[in-house]
Amino acid sequence: MFDGYDSCSEDTSSSSSSEESEEEVAPLPSNLPIIKNNGQVYTYPDGKSGMATCEMCGMVGVRDAFYSKTKRFCSVSCSRSYSSNSKKASILARLQGKPPTKKAKVLQKQPLVAKLAAYAQYQATLQNQAKTKAAAVSMEGFSWGNYINSNSFIAAPVTCFKHAPMGTCWGDISENVRVEVPNTDCSLPTKVFWIAGIVKLAGYNALLRYEGFENDSGLDFWCNICGSDIHPVGWCAASGKPLVPPRTIQHKYTNWKAFLVKRLTGAKTLPPDFSQKVSESMQYPFKPCMRVEVVDKRHLCRTRVAVVESVIGGRLRLVYEESEDRTDDFWCHMHSPLIHHIGWSRSIGHRFKRSDITKKQDGHFDTPPHLFAKVKEVDQTGEWFKEGMKLEAIDPLNLSTICVATIRKVLADGFLMIGIDGSEAADGSDWFCYHATSPSIFPVGFCEINMIELTPPRGYTKLPFKWFDYLRETGSIAAPVKLFNKDVPNHGFRVGMKLEAVDLMEPRLICVATVTRIIHRLLRIHFDGWEEEYDQWVDCESPDLYPVGWCQLTGYQLQPPASQSSRESQSGSSKQKKKAKSQQYKGHKKMTTLQLKEELIDGEDYNFLQGASDQESNGSANFYIKQEP
């Protein structure tokens, strides 16, 4: 399974042999063991007589088994591919004004179209390299591995994030699973591999230790388990890649095959189709130029048409259709409840800003309705929400608070327009839409029973706030408890777990974050390095939460924890702007009564089932029940 690392060889002639230069393979280090398919360990005294490296694919093998007189290629196919690539390289050299090299012969009658295509491919390669370099530079100052190791943090497992790549098919990947990875402790001029075991998991990231190091952590390293260089045990055998033990420990054993047989017997590894599953889970149905309806970020009460500009890891950069310079944008996940198919607003009676553009722009097309997240069907024919009913809701303009709120309008298909008491505009322009099953709305008394600070209406002076008094003063009734979503999935989050989270007040940013409270399915997300006033209440199944390593996997930029100096220096930053805006809606702060009291609400007694403690709550119990008469 793990010791088949044959050098490929073919004994047929090739038309490309005449084009080979007389360059010699660089000498390889002596006395380095390489495991072959027959279990022997070859050593070589110099670069010519023992081993050779294929100049096309980079495979290391026995020199005598290589193809051609100069022993430069492991197979005929590599020799032909090298010849073909040399021709392409010569075209690029001419386009760049450079003389053709000895390796790359110029094709005298190459069509211009082919030249332009080759040049375009070359430019695209340069751009991709620049993007990769830029991403590496942006993250140079922060390392998840160092951050977790130095503070003994734990990260939320990938299985907590069903919307993320591999979230539903992560399997039993855990500590002690073995993988084949590049051997960085090696002086060979080409990439070779060795087997390593998972010491610790943090989201997608794994702390690995090479086999043979036992309890020595000196060369432990972090990597993304979904990366292209991580393979199941046996991949090298199937791919003809050599297993080379790290230089530091190569003297420990004389028979490395026997060592690996002993170590790997009964050990677990990644599924053979793991990389395929990773690739499939990172295919997204949303494409650029698709049109959607999305919330108007300046007027939450309405939606507007926007066009998908780009897709990164399932996150969409939407540009409002009327934005001429394409800078008026909005970021959200493709499963966000804030986006809908074209025509959704009209179908349920939601406000909609008509576009000044009379016809679709070239290339733009409506997104198929089936691609959007489905909401749970509800029965509105019986007892249902009514205008004027009171409830508690997360303030979308200040996500760290849960406020006293009112149902202002009942729409079709279970959607509700909700306003924050004491902070509403006269024209209702700051109402916002939640579905009846939304985990962001709660029955009256939810905050009190779960010891959460409830934000009363702005300007309300009778403190501490009492729901019973407030309902009587306003002549209102509370929305029936049985109409709210009582499902609590076994989400797996624990207090203290690290993750990557969207700053929903600045949704283009994804930050290092921590789960600090758990109330049934509701999570309190704290952004590391920032004050608690920037915390956000988020549902456990929110598509705006991601495992550690998600940004690295998808190429998205991660915002590291803010240091004290950077916080103090960002007086004009978006965080400070958010603070100024959110203060307008906070109202008077107060601490709710900790003792549970039964109060008469709309003629019925309700007994709220108290949730588990923050440290233990992740269960499946409903967070409130109606007391039977």
Side-chain angles (χ1 to χ4, degrees):
M1 175 173 74
F2 55 87
D3 57 350
Y5 302 95
D6 227 353
S7 296
C8 301
S9 63
E10 299 186 23
D11 54 3
T12 57
S13 61
S14 169
S15 59
S16 65
S17 60
S18 62
E19 295 180 355
E20 297 175 9
S21 70
E22 296 302 319
E23 298 178 7
E24 296 293 341
V25 178
L28 299 173
S30 61
N31 300 323
L32 182 61
I34 297 182
I35 298 178
K36 303 298 293 182
N37 67 323
N38 57 7
Q40 296 179 347
V41 178
Y42 293 91
T43 59
Y44 43 90
D46 53 55
K48 294 183 178 180
S49 58
M51 306 299 295
T53 303
C54 179
E55 295 186 14
M56 182 61 204
C57 69
M59 197 193 81
V60 178
V62 180
R63 185 180 182 83
D64 293 340
F66 270 42
Y67 172 78
S68 80
K69 294 180 180 179
T70 54
K71 306 300 181 184
R72 296 172 57 204
F73 308 104
C74 65
S75 66
V76 172
S77 60
C78 280
S79 177
R80 290 175 177 170
S81 298
Y82 185 88
S83 175
S84 175
N85 288 348
S86 296
K87 294 175 182 179
K88 294 178 181 178
S90 70
I91 295 173
L92 293 178
R94 292 188 64 192
L95 289 171
Q96 298 174 40
K98 298 179 182 178
T101 62
K102 189 175 182 181
K103 287 184 178 180
K105 304 292 191 258
V106 179
L107 296 181
Q108 300 295 334
K109 298 183 180 181
Q110 184 72 15
L112 178 60
V113 174
K115 293 181 180 181
L116 294 176
Y119 183 67
Q121 184 179 5
Y122 169 75
Q123 292 283 43
T125 301
L126 289 181
Q127 291 177 2
N128 289 335
Q129 291 175 347
K131 290 179 180 178
T132 302
K133 185 177 180 180
V137 170
S138 67
M139 285 297 296
E140 186 175 359
F142 176 76
S143 165
W144 262 121
N146 293 338
Y147 191 56
I148 289 176
N149 272 353
S150 60
N151 298 280
S152 300
F153 291 140
I154 58 172
V158 174
T159 51
C160 290
F161 310 88
K162 305 304 181 186
H163 59 281
M166 302 298 292
T168 58
C169 53
W170 188 248
D172 57 352
I173 299 175
S174 58
E175 296 178 4
N176 297 320
V177 166
R178 306 302 206 283
V179 292
E180 293 178 351
V181 295
N183 178 4
T184 58
D185 183 26
C186 181
S187 57
L188 287 172
T190 187
K191 181 186 289 186
V192 294
F193 294 80
W194 190 240
I195 294 173
I198 297 178
V199 178
K200 184 175 183 178
L201 267 179
Y204 292 118
N205 293 348
L207 181 62
L208 299 180
R209 181 175 300 168
Y210 288 122
E211 284 294 340
F213 276 83
E214 309 300 339
N215 296 323
D216 182 2
S217 61
L219 285 185
D220 287 3
F221 60 98
W222 285 90
C223 70
N224 195 303
I225 206 71
C226 294
S228 58
D229 276 337
I230 311 299
H231 308 282
V233 172
W235 177 85
C236 285
S239 305
K241 303 294 183 182
L243 280 178
V244 179
R247 179 174 49 185
T248 304
I249 59 170
Q250 67 180 18
H251 64 278
K252 291 183 64 174
Y253 302 94
T254 57
N255 189 338
W256 282 99
K257 179 186 177 182
F259 168 79
L260 289 182
V261 168
K262 182 178 180 180
R263 291 288 295 173
L264 299 181
T265 300
K268 292 182 179 180
T269 188
L270 300 177
D273 59 346
F274 184 76
S275 61
Q276 180 182 347
K277 287 183 177 180
V278 171
S279 178
E280 291 174 353
S281 67
M282 295 182 67
Q283 302 300 314
Y284 307 103
F286 281 79
K287 307 297 180 185
C289 297
M290 284 184 170
R291 300 171 74 241
V292 301
E293 289 185 8
V294 62
V295 66
D296 186 340
K297 64 183 181 182
R298 293 182 179 84
H299 301 278
L300 299 184
C301 66
R302 68 186 185 188
T303 57
R304 297 171 61 184
V305 173
V307 179
V308 177
E309 179 76 11
S310 59
V311 183
I312 303 179
R315 301 200 76 228
L316 312 178
R317 179 178 180 257
L318 303 172
V319 176
Y320 290 114
E321 197 169 46
E322 295 175 304
S323 176
E324 295 182 358
D325 59 0
R326 309 194 69 76
T327 58
D328 190 8
D329 61 358
F330 184 81
W331 280 91
C332 68
H333 193 271
M334 64 182 184
H335 294 153
S336 170
L338 300 178
I339 61 171
H340 311 276
H341 62 85
I342 298 296
W344 172 84
S345 297
R346 175 179 292 184
S347 69
I348 70 161
H350 194 284
R351 290 188 189 180
F352 176 75
K353 180 185 179 183
R354 297 188 180 278
S355 174
D356 294 336
I357 301 174
T358 56
K359 63 178 182 179
K360 298 178 188 177
Q361 298 182 18
D362 292 341
H364 294 177
F365 59 99
D366 295 352
T367 306
H370 71 273
L371 297 185
F372 295 88
K374 301 295 187 296
V375 294
K376 184 178 179 180
E377 293 185 2
V378 294
D379 182 11
Q380 297 183 223
T381 58
E383 186 177 10
W384 192 241
F385 293 100
K386 293 181 175 61
E387 292 183 17
M389 284 183 172
K390 300 294 182 180
L391 69 165
E392 299 175 2
I394 297 176
D395 184 352
L397 294 179
N398 184 12
L399 295 165
S400 67
T401 62
I402 299 179
C403 305
V404 174
T406 304
I407 297 173
R408 293 304 181 188
K409 189 176 181 181
V410 179
L411 308 179
D413 296 340
F415 289 94
L416 310 168
M417 296 302 296
I418 295 174
I420 300 297
D421 285 22
S423 303
E424 298 176 68
D427 59 356
S429 58
D430 55 356
W431 296 351
F432 48 94
C433 185
Y434 278 143
H435 193 263
T437 60
S438 169
S440 297
I441 59 175
F442 317 96
V444 163
F446 172 82
C447 284
E448 181 175 2
I449 189 62
N450 290 291
M451 302 182 209
I452 300 175
E453 181 180 351
L454 176 67
T455 301
R458 185 173 57 175
Y460 189 76
T461 58
K462 295 183 63 175
L463 300 177
F465 179 84
K466 298 288 186 181
W467 263 116
F468 183 81
D469 295 338
Y470 185 69
L471 291 172
R472 183 177 55 194
E473 293 167 3
T474 57
S476 306
I477 62 173
V481 173
K482 64 182 181 182
L483 299 181
F484 291 85
N485 180 10
K486 294 179 282 292
D487 296 333
V488 181
N490 187 12
H491 47 69
F493 286 102
R494 296 289 186 275
V495 169
M497 283 183 170
K498 297 293 180 181
L499 69 164
E500 299 176 2
V502 175
D503 178 356
L504 293 170
M505 302 307 296
E506 192 71 41
R508 64 183 177 83
L509 302 179
I510 297 183
C511 311
V512 173
T514 307
V515 178
T516 57
R517 286 198 70 183
I518 301 176
I519 308 296
H520 313 291
R521 65 179 300 147
L522 194 62
L523 309 180
R524 180 82 170 180
I525 301 299
H526 173 73
F527 298 105
D528 290 19
W530 292 96
E531 292 82 5
E532 291 184 1
E533 62 187 290
Y534 300 121
D535 291 1
Q536 297 177 359
W537 288 109
V538 180
D539 182 61
C540 65
E541 295 183 342
S542 168
D544 295 309
L545 304 178
Y546 304 99
V548 166
W550 180 89
C551 283
Q552 179 188 4
L553 177 63
T554 60
Y556 204 95
Q557 184 174 347
L558 177 67
Q559 305 297 316
S563 62
Q564 172 118 15
S565 58
S566 65
R567 290 198 304 269
E568 293 173 351
S569 64
Q570 292 183 18
S571 58
S573 68
S574 60
K575 285 281 186 181
Q576 295 294 338
K577 292 177 182 178
K578 180 184 76 174
K579 177 180 177 181
K581 180 172 68 173
S582 65
Q583 284 179 338
Q584 179 181 357
Y585 295 93
K586 280 188 175 180
H588 295 286
K589 289 189 176 182
K590 72 174 196 66
M591 292 302 296
T592 56
T593 306
L594 301 185
Q595 289 79 18
L596 173 62
K597 295 181 179 179
E598 292 183 357
E599 297 178 338
L600 186 63
I601 299 177
D602 191 24
E604 293 181 290
D605 285 328
Y606 289 93
N607 178 29
F608 294 92
L609 179 64
Q610 188 169 11
S613 67
D614 289 351
Q615 290 75 16
E616 300 175 353
S617 174
N618 76 317
S620 57
N622 296 341
F623 55 77
Y624 39 74
I625 57 173
K626 179 178 177 180
Q627 182 177 3
E628 297 298 335

